[in-house]
Every structure is written in structure tokens, then in C-alpha cells.
Amino acid sequence: MEETLGTALRRWRDRLSPVDVGRTSRPGRRAVGLRREELAELAGLSVDYVVRLEQGRATSPSAQVVASLARALQLQPMERDYAYRLAGLLPPQEGTISTHVPAGVQRMLARLGDFPVGVFSADWTLLSWSPAWAVLLGDPSARTPRERNLVRAVFAAGSSGLAAWPVLQEGDALKPALVADLRTALVDHPRDRGLADLVEELRTTSAEFTRLWDEGAVGPHVSARKTVVHPQVGEVTCDCDVLTVPGCDIRVIVYTVAAGSADAEKLEFLRATNGGRVGGPPPPGPDLFSTP
């Protein structure tokens, strides 16, 4: 009997441990792998739609939906391509930017749950993030992929980037580094129409981007100290590092704070207040860490 997308989704869901996606596997849990509700949340889909996909009542998912499911299910590249074919779609072609996050990177993300971590594609679109990222910087889940593009956010007039509140940083090394990254990405992904459109858009809307692009800006990513002005706890100063994953175009941004510091106490308070939820922080209350 020929396999359908629905049967493949159920098989992949059953084999994935909740621990692999940063969930607690409680004693007495009946589900072998992920529940449909957990897969839906991880993929940014409704539970009803996941049910209809698995039952074969939804038969024409978009490429974006398949990509989100492949990331949530931590599929290997060949499995991801198989999922596209089962959905009647062509897998991503060579020369285009991949939105696939390798399973190893996703497991690392799940185990680094105490730290704000964001995973980006080659064009600097935020693909996935840890609960602590949403707590510190605001929940990105309500934003479209277009709105989650860091380069577009950084060069937009009056924007503070992807954060929901101000983020302060000494110097401006990030901007030339991002421009240099896009220039390299255009060479590596010559068939990616979205990337070419992004560069053209920014050259049209941002004089600063145009200047850096025309100057052939080159800027390596370096560690930076950033201060997040959070509406609940005030300023949280973090070390921000950009990590690359050999063999793929994924970039990983990690925010860390020194153990035992006042900033660590603030971050722990935010995590505890949010109860480990992926969503953003609760409505601002009194600034518990302000100086009288």
C-alpha cells in the first residue's frame, strides 16, 4: 500500500521523544511520541489542521506548511524531501536558501532551554527559538516569516530589530556583518528569488543599506554585549554570540549571562514568571528590580 503524507506524519511523530523538543516526559504519559497538540504548537499550525493532514482530509499543504512540519519533526534532509513529494510538491532546489533546521541543532536548542537561542536561515530569517528567547525578547510566533527577517528589521526606519522592546548595543558592527552575509548568500544561492528580492527591497528603502552594499561592506560576526530594556525587570545585559553550523547555512544566536549575576536573577525571574511557556511575557507589572 502506497504511503500517504498523513501516515508518514504519524510515523515521524510517534518516533520523536518529547525530551528531544524540550518537553518534560511525565510519568504515566500514554503517548509514545509527540501528541498532535505538541506537533501543532511546534509547527505553528492549528491542531485541527494537523488532524486533517494525518487523516488525509487535507491533501494540499503549502510548501511553508511542509517546511514547518519537517522542522518540528526533526526530519533528515532526505525525509524532508520525501515529505514534499508526498504533499505533491517539489523539494527545495539547489541554489535556494534552505529553511530546514538539522535535527542535531534542534536537540541542542531543546537542551539549551535556559538560554535565549534563535536559529536563523542564510537570509537571516528567524526559523525557531527557545522559550527563553521569547521571554527575553518577546514572542515572535505572531510574526510572519517576512517580519521575522533580521536584516529587514535592522534596516527599517525606527526599528529595534526583532525584539518587542529596545535592545541597546555599543557600536554598530552588526550592520556591515549582515550586509556581508547577504552578499555571500547571493553567491551561494543564485536561484533564490526571495533573497534577490530582499536585497533589491532594502536598496530601495534604506539609504544606509545601499551605502554599505555599494561600499562592499565586509564585517565578521563578533561577540557583543547587548542590553535588553525589558518592560518587567528593566535592563538585562547579555553577551551575544553568533555560531555557525558546519555543512549548512544555519546561524545560531545565543544570549548568555554570567552565573550568579543580577542579570541572571532577572532572566530566571522571567522564566519562572512565564512558567516555561514559549509565548511572550505576561503584562508588565511593577519593576521588581528597579532601584528605589
Side-chain angles (χ1 to χ4, degrees), residues 14 82 101 119 123 146 264 282:
D14 286 344
Y82 181 53
V101 181
V119 180
D123 65 351
R146 174 185 173 83

Side-chain angles (χ1 to χ4, degrees), residues 192-211:
D192 196 288
R193 186 67 253 172
L195 175 61
D197 289 345
L198 173 63
V199 172
E200 184 60 30
E201 172 195 331
L202 293 172
R203 285 177 58 82
T204 302
T205 59
S206 172
E208 185 175 17
F209 179 90
T210 301
R211 175 180 61 79

Side-chain angles (χ1 to χ4, degrees), residues 10 32 59 70 80 94 103 109 122 129 138 145 160 191 197 203 213 240 252 256 275 286:
R10 289 195 297 273
V32 177
T59 58
R80 174 206 60 191
E94 290 187 9
L109 187 66
W129 52 89
S160 61
R191 299 174 59 187
D197 289 345
R203 285 177 58 82
W213 186 269
C240 178
V252 181
T256 59

